[in-house]
Amino acid sequence: MSGPDTEPDITTQPRTGLTPRQARRIRVILASVLMAVMAVLLVIRLAASTSFLVVADYGLALALCGTVIQLSRNGRTRLGTWLLVLGVAAALATDWLLLP
């Protein structure tokens, strides 16, 4: 016997996870912290060797962090998260594998 009284009410179940606003705020904070870390790493690497490739690598990572902040503000948090993870990993891998 099915009817309107036998179906579970979705609105009474507690919500799990983050709200979209909380998710955006976390991504913005994470991207800002990673931007500061990339800036510190850039200064450290420039003190060791002044190379255009070092500036380009960390400059692109800084620009990527800024792009992720804008994407998160516009509600594209999943895309921003993937870009942030892959971009920072690529920048660090490039520094470790390719740069002098």
Side-chain angles (χ1 to χ4, degrees), residues 23-79:
R24 286 192 303 269
R25 184 170 288 155
I26 288 173
R27 267 42 167 234
V28 167
I29 291 169
L30 181 63
S32 300
V33 168
L34 283 175
M35 184 181 272
V37 168
M38 288 296 147
V40 169
L41 287 175
L42 174 62
V43 170
I44 291 170
R45 289 287 287 150
L46 283 177
S49 69
T50 56
S51 170
F52 173 74
L53 293 176
V54 171
V55 175
D57 184 37
Y58 285 102
L60 287 173
L62 288 169
L64 180 75
C65 289
T67 302
V68 169
I69 290 171
Q70 278 304 114
L71 285 172
S72 294
R73 286 182 180 170
N74 292 330
R76 306 296 297 177
T77 55
R78 288 186 195 139
L79 175 64

Side-chain angles (χ1 to χ4, degrees), residues 41 45 53-54 57-58 88-100:
L41 287 175
R45 289 287 287 150
L53 293 176
V54 171
D57 184 37
Y58 285 102
V88 169
L92 293 176
T94 301
D95 182 27
W96 184 59
L97 294 173
L98 300 177
L99 296 178

